[in-house]
Amino acid sequence: MAQLQEMFRPGDALLVVDVQNDFCPGGALPIDEGDEVVAALNPWIAAASEQGVPIFLTRDWHPAGHPSFAVNGGSWPLHCLQDTHGAAIHSGLLTPQGAEVVTKGTRFDQDQLSVFDQTGLADKLRRDGIRRLWVGGLALDVCVLATVLDGCHEGFEVQLLVAGCRPVTAEGGREALATMRQAGAVLVE
Ligand code: VGL
Ligand code: ZN
């Protein structure tokens, strides 16, 4: 796939999910090789930018009292606390002019694993004429999974950039790929 630009067509957008320091080695909720998605996704970001394909970078962005934290009864360690280094998008990720940041996980009453959960993003994409999404990021078996399933249910075609994702667990990753394929996502190897 030397010419990634040729993969895009009108109505496409690129969605880069939660490539944040806390999900990379050394972070609060580290995913094995989480930082390796940066090198895998940057060529796609560059190609999208060159082609004028809209780019959305999402971030998990939690208040201290967030219900997903174990201290608050949830299942995760403290992670992606608003305005901390851990919550910052990995500094190696290309962030072209015009790329939009989508924030989720700010609610006090529930987690939002999917980027489509009460963010208004699906309506915005439809308004902008987007029909197909290229998706990669972290974690394959958590937020990428939830986002891809919602994206399919919202009626978008989804192309999953498998090399641009890493799972929390290998088994979870395998199941997530099967579930996404069943939902209609195309796995781009
Ligand atoms: C995520 C666990 C908790 C993710 C977010 O972005 O995949 N995982 N919060
Ligand atoms: Zn989270």
Side-chain angles (χ1 to χ4, degrees):
M1 280 189 286
Q3 297 290 85
L4 295 188
Q5 295 95 325
E6 291 171 10
M7 307 290 281
F8 294 122
R9 66 188 190 206
D12 279 2
L14 177 63
L15 193 54
V16 176
V17 178
D18 299 359
V19 182
Q20 293 165 274
N21 293 322
D22 271 344
F23 297 127
C24 295
L29 209 172
I31 294 162
D32 272 356
E33 303 179 347
D35 53 340
E36 293 191 11
V37 305
V38 171
L41 293 174
N42 274 347
W44 289 92
I45 295 171
S49 180
E50 267 172 54
Q51 292 293 107
V53 171
I55 301 165
F56 296 87
L57 308 172
T58 79
R59 62 180 183 181
D60 209 33
W61 195 249
H62 298 316
H66 195 254
S68 78
F69 298 155
V71 285
N72 302 320
S75 31
W76 304 105
L78 286 180
H79 66 279
C80 296
L81 276 170
Q82 294 171 7
D83 295 311
T84 61
H85 173 76
I89 290 176
H90 191 290
S91 62
L93 198 73
L94 290 176
T95 55
Q97 280 286 317
E100 296 213 50
V101 175
V102 183
T103 298
K104 65 181 178 61
T106 60
R107 295 184 62 109
F108 291 101
D109 59 342
Q110 60 157 101
D111 202 1
Q112 294 152 282
L113 297 177
S114 164
V115 175
F116 291 108
D117 188 0
Q118 303 166 85
T119 60
L121 181 63
D123 283 343
K124 191 256 186 307
L125 294 175
R126 279 191 283 266
R127 230 169 24 239
D128 291 352
I130 302 302
R131 296 179 302 277
R132 187 169 74 160
L133 302 172
W134 297 80
V135 182
L138 303 170
L140 174 62
D141 47 348
V142 186
C143 286
V144 172
L145 171 63
T147 296
V148 165
L149 293 181
D150 276 356
C152 290
H153 293 143
E154 290 282 358
F156 297 100
E157 288 179 59
V158 176
Q159 304 277 117
L160 182 75
L161 302 173
V162 177
C165 300
R166 289 294 184 282
V168 174
T169 70
E171 176 63 18
R174 281 189 291 274
E175 283 175 18
L177 289 176
T179 304
M180 288 186 271
R181 192 192 286 118
Q182 239 169 12
V186 173
L187 308 189
V188 181
E189 302 289 346

